Structures are given as structure tokens and as C-alpha cells.
């Protein structure tokens, strides 16, 4: 139990040391780091890391032959140098060139669906297939499809109905689940 008590006491002493160091040297350290980095946020990070290192090495601060402020300023300068070296070691980020955007999505499913539909259309009669091609693929109205095919509009409606029924039977109800042929 005595070990835990001495550890707690030492931790409290270390925390008190860091608080007093921050109160005494924090402003000067922040001003120095800001001058070195040119960025207040980066300077705050440097100061924080400096005091973390001081907290991890309290014996260096307590038994230091030189000045404590000198040690803190040296640690801060070394941290700034390390960050600058790390940035130079990384390759520069380059904005993507116009026209090199990645493809929006994988079109493999669409290709498979197209092949499946084309195969199913091949299984229809020529008359039924011709009506579906005009109405669904060429997006013609019933009247326009009738004119192009040279048949009455009622025949276009009838053939498209029977062609769709044949496709639904072929797909085994998948069309009603939102896949395949239009409902």
C-alpha cells in the first residue's frame, strides 16, 4: 500500500511541477512556437507536445543544470523541425486533373441485365420483339410505334401486353420485384 501512496504523491508533485512550468513559461513558449511555425494552431500543438514531454521527464526539469526555459524552448524548436522534415518527406498532394474523375459506379450489373434482357427478347416472336423495341427502347408512343411498324395502335397495345407477359413468365416473377423488364 505504501507503494501506491508514494506513486500518487509523486504523480501529484509532477502535475504541480508542470502546472507551475506552464504558468511561468507557457506564454513565452507559445509566442516562440508561433514565430517558428507562423500558425497559431500549430504552435499550440507544439506547446502541448512540449509540456507532455516535460511531464514524461520531470527529473530532467528538476535536476537541470541549465535553465528550464531553455530546455522547453529547445524541445519546442526540435518539434517544429521534426514536423517540417516530416512534411518534406511526404509527397506533395496534387489536385486531380479535370477529366480524370474516377468512374461513378461499377456497371457490371447493368451489363449482365442487358445481356439477360437481350436473351429474353430473342425468345419472343419477331412481331412482339419489334413492338417492345419501338415502345421501350426507342421510347415511341403507341401511335408512333403503330405508324413506324405499319400496324393499328390496338395491335401495338395487344402485342406489347402479350410480349410483357411472356417476359414475366420467362423471368419467373423477378420483373414484379423491381429487376428485369418494366412492369
Amino acid at each position: 500500500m505504501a507503494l501506491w501512496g508514494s506513486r500518487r504523491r509523486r504523480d501529484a508533485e509532477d502535475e504541480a511541477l508542470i502546472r507551475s512550468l506552464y504558468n511561468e513559461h507557457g506564454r513565452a513558449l507559445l509566442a516562440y512556437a508561433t514565430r517558428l511555425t507562423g500558425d497559431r494552431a500549430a504552435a499550440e500543438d507544439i506547446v502541448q507536445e512540449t509540456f507532455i514531454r516535460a511531464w514524461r521527464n520531470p527529473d530532467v526539469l528538476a535536476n537541470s543544470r541549465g535553465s528550464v526555459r531553455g530546455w522547453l524552448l529547445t524541445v519546442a524548436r526540435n518539434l517544429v523541425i521534426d514536423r517540417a522534415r516530416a512534411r518534406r518527406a511526404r509527397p506533395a498532394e496534387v489536385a486531380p486533373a479535370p477529366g480524370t474523375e474516377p468512374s461513378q459506379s461499377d456497371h457490371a450489373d447493368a451489363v449482365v441485365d442487358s445481356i439477360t434482357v437481350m436473351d429474353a427478347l430473342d425468345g419472343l416472336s419477331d412481331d412482339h420483339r419489334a413492338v417492345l423495341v419501338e415502345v421501350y427502347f426507342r421510347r415511341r408512343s403507341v401511335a408512333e410505334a403503330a405508324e413506324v411498324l405499319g400496324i393499328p395502335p390496338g395491335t401495338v397495345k395487344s402485342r406489347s401486353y402479350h410480349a410483357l407477359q411472356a417476359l414475366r413468365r420467362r423471368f419467373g416473377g423477378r420483373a414484379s420485384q423491381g429487376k428485369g423488364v418494366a412492369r
Side-chain angles (χ1 to χ4, degrees):
M1 193 67 160
L3 178 64
W4 284 104
S6 66
R7 172 115 175 122
R8 282 189 204 147
R9 191 173 341 109
R10 192 174 70 217
D11 287 348
E13 290 170 359
D14 292 348
E15 187 176 330
L17 174 64
I18 296 302
R19 282 185 193 276
S20 69
L21 287 175
Y22 182 78
N23 290 334
E24 186 176 345
H25 303 288
R27 280 187 145 161
L29 195 58
L30 181 60
Y32 179 68
T34 302
R35 276 193 312 270
L36 290 177
T37 62
D39 179 8
R40 171 74 182 223
E44 289 173 354
D45 290 344
I46 295 293
V47 169
Q48 180 178 8
E49 182 61 30
T50 301
F51 280 105
I52 288 173
R53 291 188 183 191
W55 178 66
R56 288 182 183 155
N57 300 297
D59 52 323
V60 172
L61 297 173
N63 301 327
S64 179
R65 292 188 188 126
S67 80
V68 173
R69 182 174 285 193
W71 186 88
L72 292 171
L73 293 174
T74 301
V75 170
R77 181 178 52 90
N78 290 342
L79 288 169
V80 170
I81 291 169
D82 288 348
R83 285 185 178 204
R85 286 179 180 157
R87 275 194 305 275
R88 281 193 301 257
R90 282 188 228 120
E93 293 182 17
V94 180
T100 61
E101 292 82 24
S103 62
Q104 296 299 327
S105 63
D106 185 12
H107 64 281
D109 288 337
V111 171
V112 170
D113 289 346
S114 289
I115 292 170
T116 304
V117 169
M118 296 306 286
D119 184 47
L121 286 173
D122 285 343
L124 296 176
S125 70
D126 291 340
D127 291 338
H128 286 162
R129 183 176 45 254
V131 167
L132 290 183
V133 166
E134 293 301 321
V135 172
Y136 289 97
F137 292 106
R138 295 193 177 134
R139 298 182 188 266
R140 298 187 196 272
S141 67
V142 171
E144 292 169 337
E147 186 177 323
V148 168
L149 295 172
I151 57 176
T155 304
V156 170
K157 290 179 183 178
S158 174
R159 287 181 183 172
S160 67
Y161 172 80
H162 290 291
L164 291 174
Q165 290 300 317
L167 290 175
R168 283 189 181 108
R169 282 191 301 274
R170 173 146 184 171
F171 287 117
R174 283 192 307 171
S176 64
Q177 297 169 359
K179 295 279 281 176
V181 181
R183 288 178 221 141

